Amino acid sequence: MAQIPQEIEEEIKRRVKFGMYPGISVALHDAFGDHFFNYGFRDTILRNVTTRHTLYQAGGISQVMTGLLLAVMAQEEELVLQEPVHSFYPDSIELINAKGESITLKHLATHTSGLPRYPWRGEVTGDSLFLNFGKKELLSFLASYKPLSIGKNFRYSELGFAVLGEALSQEYEKGFKNLLKDKVLVPLELQDMVASIDGGKAQRATGYSEHGAVKKNLYGIFTPALGLSASVNDLLQMGKTILRDSSKITKAVSLSIAPAVGIPGRQDAALGWLISEPGVLYQSGVTEGFRSFLAIDRKHARVVVIMCNSGRNDLSDLGLYLLKENQGTFISTKTETRGTKELEKFTGTYVNDGYQLEYSVTLEEGQLYADDLQERRALFYSGNDEFFTKKILQSLRFESDENGNIVGLIVRKDGNEWLYIKKDP
């Protein structure tokens, strides 16, 4: 019987040992059934272990649930997807461009509204910005915002889902979370998510950032975009519902996953979902103290969920490896030894002119170090001219020419790759 591959379990154990994740939970559904693997702690002080029912902050996966709520309300004829957003707001809110085109609910749910990612400029650090931006601030921002491109360009927007959540719940006295519970979570029997809203004895994980434990991640009006909590067990069950197309809200589920917007040169978008290729739905989440990955391959009847309580390190490489049925590669943190003389060939300066990036690789007392002008990190050899860094997970793969001379460097981090060329190879 297939299960979580041994190489993934071993890799997870190493990453937890190196402090990359305090705790992590994995769920996989395939032709052989459901499989779970949990490792580490949901709280490093109390040392409570992770389980498949541990609640992690879902980050961007919250948008999947908000999109499904929109689909349910559309199926119940409480609204239509093409309904202008301003009809849910006071008269001072127009959200109409110069051509008289309106932002619709569908635009918000597919990241094509033209709204910015956030209503403020600069980097998002912690949750203070979210806590200080409530309904009053939202209305003030929307009243002065003049959209330019509506329904044409994909522009990822957490603000759009905040606007959507407020629109859906504006006549529901018990608020967005309870509206979601009543119309989505209870019909789908997602018990852990229901417990998180009802305040029951949920196994909530503590989130950790590079500065330590995150006291609270409260997203207020941005909850529909970022702030829901979920377990891998619940998300796996939801994924199986999508595969089987059978639930109390089947028509709404089908509506929520149907491709709604084509994005030239990229993936398509459904209601809260991204579609990487035909039949493959995915979403991921990053908050200050958590990471999450959810993907569903409808063609091969496969669901993958991974969640951890660290906001620092990516886990999508593990998720993609499982989704592709153990094909492809993930960043390996398995260490191998290499002599000092063998390490010398990797030293030098590597540059990426396009992004004005630079890496300096030095050798000191038998240890390689990489300095990207922001931080100096020790490199650990994992084989085949590839190294990794601990705590902040990234891989550095050195490229050689036909004569074996090192000529370049590929840095892989957070699901992205950057190519660097060696100066004077």
Side-chain angles (χ1 to χ4, degrees), residues 18 27 32 73 82 87 100 134 140 174 220 228 248 289 296 299 306-307 321-322 324 327 340 382-383 386 392:
F18 293 147
F32 297 94
M73 296 178 74
Q82 292 75 22
S87 65
S140 176
K174 293 189 289 184
L228 296 175
K248 296 178 181 178
I296 303 172
K299 180 178 179 180
I306 309 182
M307 308 184 85
Y321 184 80
L322 292 175
K324 297 299 182 180
Q327 298 178 10
T340 300
S382 57
E386 187 165 348
I392 302 297

Side-chain angles (χ1 to χ4, degrees), residues 141-162:
F141 176 87
L142 295 180
S144 61
Y145 185 78
K146 301 298 181 184
L148 298 175
S149 176
I150 298 177
K152 296 180 180 179
N153 300 314
F154 181 88
R155 186 183 186 186
Y156 199 87
S157 175
E158 279 88 349
L159 174 62
F161 270 82

Side-chain angles (χ1 to χ4, degrees), residues 213-234:
V214 177
K215 293 182 179 180
K216 286 184 179 180
N217 269 359
L218 301 175
Y219 287 93
I221 205 166
F222 279 86
T223 296
L226 292 166
L228 296 175
S229 296
S231 68
V232 296
N233 188 72
D234 270 358

Side-chain angles (χ1 to χ4, degrees), residues 58-354:
I61 295 176
S62 304
Q63 297 167 25
V64 169
M65 311 309 298
T66 303
L68 181 50
L69 173 60
L70 172 62
V72 169
M73 296 178 74
Q75 285 294 317
E76 294 178 351
E77 299 184 351
E78 296 184 44
L79 47 78
V80 294
L81 297 183
Q82 292 75 22
E83 194 161 348
V85 176
H86 65 73
S87 65
F88 295 87
Y89 283 88
D91 293 340
S92 60
I93 310 299
E94 292 185 343
L95 295 178
I96 297 175
N97 64 13
K99 297 180 180 180
E101 300 169 325
S102 298
I103 295 177
T104 67
L105 299 174
K106 180 180 176 182
H107 290 145
L108 296 175
T110 56
H111 298 286
T112 55
S113 67
L115 289 172
R117 184 163 191 174
Y118 297 110
W120 51 74
R121 295 181 179 179
E123 184 180 356
V124 177
T125 55
D127 58 10
S128 60
L129 289 174
F130 298 102
L131 290 178
N132 294 327
F133 192 89
K135 184 173 181 179
K136 178 182 177 181
E137 288 74 20
L138 178 66
L139 294 178
S140 176
F141 176 87
L142 295 180
S144 61
Y145 185 78
K146 301 298 181 184
L148 298 175
S149 176
I150 298 177
K152 296 180 180 179
N153 300 314
F154 181 88
R155 186 183 186 186
Y156 199 87
S157 175
E158 279 88 349
L159 174 62
F161 270 82
V163 174
L164 176 59
E166 183 62 25
L168 297 181
S169 58
Q170 54 95 23
E171 292 185 358
Y172 200 78
E173 294 182 358
K174 293 189 289 184
F176 171 80
K177 285 187 177 181
N178 283 293
L179 175 65
L180 180 73
K181 183 186 78 171
D182 294 344
K183 291 188 174 291
V184 175
L185 306 183
V186 171
L188 291 182
E189 299 181 354
L190 304 183
Q191 299 300 325
D192 296 327
M193 295 189 75
V194 170
S196 73
I197 292 173
D198 288 344
K201 295 181 179 180
Q203 302 177 13
R204 190 176 298 275
T206 298
Y208 294 88
S209 71
E210 59 184 329
H211 305 295
V214 177
K215 293 182 179 180
K216 286 184 179 180
N217 269 359
L218 301 175
Y219 287 93
I221 205 166
F222 279 86
T223 296
L226 292 166
L228 296 175
S229 296
S231 68
V232 296
N233 188 72
D234 270 358
L235 294 181
L236 189 75
Q237 300 313 310
M238 187 185 72
K240 289 163 58 179
T241 296
I242 291 174
L243 291 179
R244 295 168 180 169
D245 197 25
S246 60
S247 74
K248 296 178 181 178
I249 53 173
T250 295
K251 291 183 178 180
V253 170
S254 297
L255 176 62
S256 72
I257 64 174
V261 173
I263 307 171
R266 296 188 63 181
Q267 66 280 316
D268 293 337
L271 302 184
W273 288 99
L274 300 177
I275 304 173
S276 60
E277 57 187 84
V280 178
L281 304 157
Y282 78 95
Q283 253 296 3
S284 60
V286 182
T287 61
E288 187 183 13
F290 297 89
R291 292 255 181 167
S292 57
F293 175 92
L294 168 63
I296 303 172
D297 185 341
R298 300 178 68 197
K299 180 178 179 180
H300 298 97
R302 200 170 181 89
V303 182
V304 177
V305 190
I306 309 182
M307 308 184 85
C308 75
N309 54 341
S310 170
R312 293 181 300 168
N313 291 304
D314 188 32
L315 43 65
S316 62
D317 61 322
L318 304 178
L320 291 172
Y321 184 80
L322 292 175
L323 184 68
K324 297 299 182 180
E325 299 187 65
N326 313 338
Q327 298 178 10
T329 61
F330 56 86
I331 297 176
S332 174
T333 59
K334 185 176 181 179
T335 56
E336 297 184 14
T337 58
R338 200 158 189 182
T340 300
K341 289 187 177 181
E342 295 178 290
L343 295 175
E344 289 178 352
K345 70 175 184 178
F346 301 109
T347 61
T349 300
Y350 300 79
V351 296
N352 180 311
D353 290 330

Side-chain angles (χ1 to χ4, degrees), residues 23-40:
I24 186 170
S25 297
V26 181
L28 167 68
H29 171 79
D30 60 15
F32 297 94
D34 299 344
H35 318 283
F36 299 91
F37 181 70
N38 303 279
Y39 196 75

